[in-house]
Amino acid sequence: MTVDGKITTRDFTPVDFTSREDKQHLFRQRAIADAVIIGHSTLKRDNVRLGISEDLRQERIKRGRTPAAIRVILSNEGKIDSRLKIFQWDVSPILIFSTKRMPKQVRTALAGKATLHLSKTGAVNLVEMLRILRRDYEVRRIACEGGPTLFRSMLEHGLIDELNLTIAPYLFGGAEAPTLTGLSKEFLPKSVHCVIKNMRVVGAECFLTYKIKHKAEL
């Protein structure tokens, strides 16, 4: 994020204001995860594959793991374009957690490209999603790449254990540019207590790692 706490512009343009080192840092976080989760709005806007570099793939293989983490997409409405880049790259399985609101034509278009988990509820139950990932896919470590709405929801449910944050040397300003927790004017239901684990400075950027303290730990 920028020095003034913005993660993108008011137009929600894809993030391109950080360095190559920051992008490599992101790849390393993906590489140590069993699954990478992203909200559909962010996926549609950034159109990413959620992949990692070849050297990181080889490191995973040497450790006896799959070449890349499972890719997980969240969408309450399920209006997902099957032509997105993520569906054109077959490096790892793709799971979609959505609801019965997903249009039938979308389900048909995604057949063979992703495994669908559709709930009868109006929105995806995040706790149940994590339970399924652990039980059925042996997922232990997850990298959540946002966007801010998903990140805020996971914070509200106490589902975030660690925050990796890069401070980039820019100021965007403006009330309409989102922060880590989006554009909501409401405070979180409860303040989230962070404890710093690590800090390093590379060039003009500061890389921070925080542990999120949960209620039982306070």
Side-chain angles (χ1 to χ4, degrees):
M1 71 179 189
T2 63
V3 175
D4 57 341
K6 306 302 183 179
I7 62 169
T8 184
T9 66
R10 65 181 181 182
D11 298 321
F12 286 77
T13 54
V15 174
D16 61 358
F17 57 85
T18 58
S19 68
R20 183 177 184 277
E21 171 58 27
D22 177 59
K23 293 174 177 59
Q24 290 300 315
H25 180 59
L26 173 63
F27 291 158
R28 289 192 291 270
Q29 297 306 311
R30 288 178 184 171
I32 62 177
D34 300 312
V36 181
I37 296 180
I38 191 169
H40 176 235
S41 295
T42 299
L43 175 66
K44 181 171 62 175
R45 182 175 64 247
D46 296 349
N47 201 11
V48 291
R49 293 185 175 91
L50 295 184
I52 56 177
S53 56
E54 180 60 29
D55 59 325
L56 292 174
R57 285 198 292 270
Q58 292 304 319
E59 285 182 16
R60 284 179 61 96
I61 292 171
K62 288 179 182 178
R63 296 198 302 269
R65 304 180 69 186
T66 57
I70 295 170
R71 295 168 290 173
V72 181
I73 303 169
L74 266 70
S75 174
N76 290 331
E77 294 186 357
K79 296 178 181 178
I80 300 172
D81 187 347
S82 63
R83 296 168 296 179
L84 289 170
K85 288 181 180 179
I86 193 171
F87 300 114
Q88 314 308 319
W89 200 46
D90 194 27
V91 70
S92 67
I94 299 173
L95 310 179
I96 296 177
F97 285 83
S98 186
T99 68
K100 297 292 185 179
R101 296 159 64 189
M102 177 182 281
K104 290 183 179 180
Q105 62 269 29
V106 174
R107 302 185 199 186
T108 301
L110 292 172
K113 296 184 177 183
T115 300
L116 305 183
H117 292 269
L118 306 180
S119 67
K120 295 179 181 179
T121 54
V124 176
N125 183 316
L126 297 176
V127 174
E128 180 61 21
M129 176 195 71
L130 296 183
R131 187 177 294 118
I132 291 171
L133 288 174
R134 183 179 180 90
R135 182 192 66 206
D136 298 345
Y137 299 95
E138 299 183 350
V139 169
R140 297 295 182 270
R141 184 183 181 97
I142 294 172
C144 175
E145 295 199 11
T149 301
L150 173 58
F151 180 65
R152 181 186 176 103
S153 295
M154 294 191 77
L155 274 180
E156 290 177 348
H157 287 83
L159 302 177
I160 301 292
D161 297 314
E162 184 176 282
L163 170 63
N164 284 277
L165 181 64
T166 302
I167 307 297
Y170 296 95
L171 294 163
F172 283 1
E176 295 180 359
T179 68
L180 282 178
T181 54
L183 288 171
S184 175
K185 296 180 180 179
E186 300 297 325
F187 285 104
L188 291 169
K190 293 182 180 179
S191 296
V192 176
H193 186 192
C194 305
V195 178
I196 194 163
K197 291 178 60 179
N198 185 54
M199 180 179 72
R200 64 189 178 97
V201 177
V202 181
E205 293 174 333
C206 183
F207 294 83
L208 301 165
T209 302
Y210 289 98
K211 173 183 172 59
I212 304 296
K213 297 198 74 173
H214 298 290
K215 186 176 180 180
E217 302 172 300
L218 296 177

